[in-house]
Amino acid sequence: SICIDYCLRIDNQNLLFNEVYQEFKNQNQQTIFLELLETFILNQRLKSLSPEVMQTFVDHFSVSKEKVRRLEKCIVNLQISSMDIHQVVKLCRHHQLSTALFYVFNKGLN
C-alpha cells in the first residue's frame, strides 16, 4: 500500500505500473498488488491502469461471484481508455453486471 500511495503522491504512474508492479510480480506477490489497487480505485485516487495491469486486474477479480461484484465497483471508477473493452464487455455480459456494462457503453460512445 505504501508503494502505491507513494507513486500516486508523486504522480508517477509509470513507476507504479512498470518498476513497482514488476517487482511485485518478480516476488510472486502480484495478487497482493492487485488487491491493494482496489482501495485506491474505489477511493478515486487511481483513475486508470496500464493495459497489462488492467487486463490482469480484470482476470484476477473474475474468479468468484463476490470478486466480480467488487470488480464492477472498480470498473465504474476507472477511465474507459485504460480498459480492454472487449474483455470488460464480455465479462459484464457473462456475469450480468448491468451497471458496469451501462458505464462502459455510455463512456465509450461519448
Side-chain angles (χ1 to χ4, degrees), residues 13-34:
Q13 288 192 8
N14 284 331
L15 175 63
L16 176 62
F17 296 128
N18 292 318
E19 288 84 2
V20 173
Y21 176 64
Q22 286 303 320
E23 191 57 37
F24 272 85
K25 276 178 71 173
N26 293 343
Q27 300 301 319
N28 294 317
Q29 300 298 316
Q30 181 177 5
T31 300
I32 291 172
F33 182 83
L34 296 170

Side-chain angles (χ1 to χ4, degrees), residues 67-100:
K67 282 193 173 192
V68 167
R69 293 293 166 197
R70 289 167 49 199
L71 175 61
E72 182 176 35
K73 291 177 183 177
C74 290
I75 288 171
V76 300
N77 282 292
L78 288 168
Q79 294 174 352
I80 193 95
S81 60
S82 70
M83 296 179 196
D84 175 339
I85 301 298
H86 178 72
Q87 178 192 30
V88 172
V89 168
K90 184 177 172 182
L91 174 105
C92 290
R93 285 183 172 157
H94 178 76
H95 293 284
Q96 301 175 339
L97 305 177
S98 57
T99 301

Side-chain angles (χ1 to χ4, degrees), residues 29-64:
Q29 300 298 316
Q30 181 177 5
T31 300
I32 291 172
F33 182 83
L34 296 170
E35 292 283 336
L36 290 171
L37 288 179
E38 179 185 15
T39 301
F40 289 93
I41 294 167
L42 294 177
N43 290 331
Q44 299 183 346
R45 292 202 48 220
L46 187 58
K47 298 297 277 175
S48 66
L49 306 176
S50 73
E52 177 188 0
V53 174
M54 182 64 186
Q55 193 164 27
T56 306
F57 186 81
V58 170
D59 289 342
H60 171 74
F61 280 90
S62 299
V63 297
S64 72

